[in-house]
Amino acid sequence: MSIEVRVPTLGESVTEATVATWFKKPGDAVAVDEMLCELETDKVTVEVPSPAAGVMGEIVAAEGETVGVDALLATIGEGEGAAPAPANEAKADAAPAASGDEAQSVDVMVPSLGESVTEATVSSWFKQVGDAVSQDEMLCELETDKVSVEVPAPAAGVLTEILAAEGTTVDASAKLAVISGSADGAVAPAAKPAEAQGTTATTGKDVEDAPSAKKAMAEAGLKPGDVQGTGRDGRVMKHDVAAAVAAPKAAPAPAAAPAPARPAGDAAREERVKMTRLRQTIARRLKDSQNTAAMLTTYNEVDMTEVMALRNEYKAEFEKKHGVRLGFMSFFTKACCHALKEVPEVNAEIDGTDIVYKNYVNMGVAAGTPTGLVVPVINDADAMSFAAIEKAIAEKGKRARDGKLSMEEMQGGTFTISNGGVYGSLMSSPILNPPQSGILGMHKIQDRPMAINGEVVIRPMMYLALSYDHRIVDGKGAVTFLVRVKEALEDPRRLLMDL
């Protein structure tokens, strides 16, 4: 009975791939999950594991052929000569000889990524093949559109196989690696595959070049030292080989050229870094917002005297009772919730030809993190007290900086507040967070001379900016909303009296 080897799922919108390298030939014995071949798509390299143990049969798609998703690549026949494990991986060596029990393999799978998240990118591996690992030790880190997910070891043992290299996009049910052995057997790292050792010895690096890059170098007659790697830790990728081959043709040395004014060109002083999935998502969503919404911004300014006086009077007592500091964000959140009740279209969204009015306020609070901007959501903020709002903002802000936010915590927002003032911004125009119809931009509090009752006095002033979708919010509604926020902040007692 023959078992078919087919092209696996290649990722969203990817429909075909090219067979780059076959690691096995017809007649070779193969083990379960042993790598048979490598496929290349426009963006990632995909390794195809063996679905069963047996003997390599017919290879249907040769190297260089383009195949579609679920296309037949090869067949595997059943045979007594099938080895239980590939010899070059030496899985059994990881277990102590005195135990007598065969080492069990444990699959490392992609963990739950959250609602509506179907794929992730492998950003970093903390362990290499042959390294001993303990249970719950971090093996690798995955990046989704919004959050980073750490993958712990499900069991102790030796990391014998990495199926998804750094930069590979994997789906929510994909296998990442294989751990072999037990906690007792993980006393020393197993030997690395001979191919990886040979590469290390040849190149003098601690990382192995991409298989597709090694194949391309062999075809071009290049040595590993002839190509400058741009991958992680200096790993040579396929496009690095293509650049090295094209370089002499693209930049021939001019005859009798004058000496350059500086020792190196601008390219030598530049650094090219691949965008993270989070940064790509931010860029795409912001541009989609500009292309979709009829976005307009209106401005006003607010005198922060009363808010600052109230905060200074009660902040010590507030922190003592509630265990959290009294900041300005709770005042702005309350003021916005108050104004959204009067101007509900700012808290609505467009769905096709319908307008969906939200009878609740899920407040998004934009937060800057080392990896990019995220917007955690405080659900039902209109029903929360000052203390509850401050606690929620503090807790979600910390989780955002630590990269621990889940997808559920960043979904369902109906309105957003963005505080650029913490970075010193005096005035800016925030961009809508679709499908929301409004976002309030806070800015730096600055002392300015103001005319009050015919006299010039110095007051702490802040510019406010409301960006809104003009398809659903008219100018009158936008201005009214901003005025109500201004009035509530300049006289906080109005919030208590619901005025």
Side-chain angles (χ1 to χ4, degrees), residues 173-237:
S173 60
K175 183 192 299 186
L176 298 172
V178 176
I179 294 175
S180 179
S182 62
D184 295 334
V187 293
K192 296 184 181 180
E195 182 182 356
Q197 291 179 348
T199 303
T200 303
T202 303
T203 62
K205 299 184 299 182
D206 292 330
V207 294
E208 183 181 0
D209 297 331
S212 57
K214 290 188 289 186
K215 182 174 183 290
M217 283 190 287
E219 294 174 348
L222 296 175
K223 299 178 181 179
D226 297 335
V227 182
Q228 180 66 39
T230 60
R232 186 177 180 87
D233 299 326
R235 179 181 285 107
V236 176
M237 310 302 288

Side-chain angles (χ1 to χ4, degrees), residues 97-407:
S99 67
D101 295 330
E102 294 184 2
Q104 295 183 347
S105 294
V106 179
D107 295 337
V108 181
M109 308 297 292
V110 175
S112 175
L113 300 175
E115 183 182 357
S116 78
V117 182
T118 59
E119 63 179 20
T121 299
V122 181
S123 60
S124 302
W125 275 99
F126 307 130
K127 293 289 184 178
Q128 297 178 346
V129 172
D131 287 352
V133 298
S134 57
Q135 187 170 355
D136 294 330
E137 185 176 4
M138 288 304 113
L139 297 179
C140 67
E141 186 176 51
L142 308 179
E143 282 186 354
T144 69
D145 293 343
K146 288 284 186 181
V147 296
S148 295
V149 180
E150 292 182 333
V151 180
V158 176
L159 186 63
T160 56
E161 196 173 3
I162 292 178
L163 303 178
E166 292 178 2
T168 302
T169 299
V170 294
D171 59 36
S173 60
K175 183 192 299 186
L176 298 172
V178 176
I179 294 175
S180 179
S182 62
D184 295 334
V187 293
K192 296 184 181 180
E195 182 182 356
Q197 291 179 348
T199 303
T200 303
T202 303
T203 62
K205 299 184 299 182
D206 292 330
V207 294
E208 183 181 0
D209 297 331
S212 57
K214 290 188 289 186
K215 182 174 183 290
M217 283 190 287
E219 294 174 348
L222 296 175
K223 299 178 181 179
D226 297 335
V227 182
Q228 180 66 39
T230 60
R232 186 177 180 87
D233 299 326
R235 179 181 285 107
V236 176
M237 310 302 288
K238 185 178 180 180
H239 62 265
D240 297 328
V241 181
V245 172
K249 300 177 182 179
R262 52 193 180 194
D266 290 342
R269 300 183 293 166
E270 297 173 350
E271 180 183 4
R272 184 180 296 269
V273 179
K274 184 175 178 60
M275 292 174 68
T276 63
R277 287 178 63 90
L278 174 59
R279 179 55 61 185
Q280 293 177 43
T281 302
I282 292 172
R284 183 180 69 253
R285 285 178 59 84
L286 292 179
K287 190 58 185 173
D288 288 347
S289 177
Q290 287 184 320
N291 294 339
T292 302
M295 193 157 52
L296 188 63
T297 305
T298 185
Y299 303 90
N300 211 319
E301 58 182 352
V302 56
D303 186 342
M304 296 292 292
T305 300
E306 293 300 324
V307 168
M308 293 175 69
L310 189 63
R311 177 173 177 265
N312 289 334
E313 182 177 355
Y314 292 108
K315 66 179 181 180
E317 193 174 341
F318 185 91
E319 184 173 2
K320 181 179 179 181
K321 179 176 180 179
H322 299 291
V324 65
R325 296 180 61 185
L326 177 62
F328 292 119
M329 287 301 297
S330 53
F331 287 94
F332 278 87
T333 300
K334 278 290 189 181
C336 287
C337 291
H338 173 76
L340 289 171
K341 292 180 180 179
E342 182 171 344
V343 192
E345 59 266 31
V346 184
N347 195 46
E349 67 180 56
I350 293 178
D351 184 11
T353 57
D354 297 333
I355 298 177
V356 182
Y357 290 95
K358 309 298 179 70
N359 297 320
Y360 55 90
V361 179
N362 289 346
M363 187 66 70
V365 181
T369 72
T371 57
L373 182 71
V374 295
V375 186
V377 175
I378 301 173
N379 293 321
D380 296 317
D382 53 322
M384 297 172 69
S385 65
F386 276 77
I389 291 173
E390 290 292 354
K391 289 178 181 178
I393 291 175
E395 190 267 339
K396 291 186 182 294
K398 183 179 184 302
R399 289 173 58 81
R401 291 188 295 273
D402 295 340
K404 303 297 184 182
L405 284 175
S406 66
M407 288 296 298

Side-chain angles (χ1 to χ4, degrees), residues 400-479:
R401 291 188 295 273
D402 295 340
K404 303 297 184 182
L405 284 175
S406 66
M407 288 296 298
E408 289 78 6
E409 292 177 285
M410 293 182 284
Q411 294 176 336
T414 62
F415 185 81
T416 296
I417 298 177
S418 178
N419 187 4
V422 295
Y423 305 110
S425 171
L426 184 62
M427 181 180 288
S428 65
S429 300
I431 297 179
L432 287 173
N433 184 21
Q436 298 172 21
S437 297
I439 179 172
L440 180 74
M442 298 167 54
H443 298 92
K444 177 183 178 182
I445 299 175
Q446 188 174 57
D447 287 343
R448 293 201 301 272
M450 303 296 295
I452 308 294
N453 297 326
E455 297 182 355
V456 177
V457 295
I458 304 298
R459 291 294 178 92
M461 305 297 295
M462 176 193 287
Y463 288 116
L464 298 181
L466 174 70
S467 292
Y468 59 98
D469 190 346
H470 214 343
R471 296 177 302 168
I472 183 175
V473 182
D474 294 330
K476 175 185 176 183
V479 172

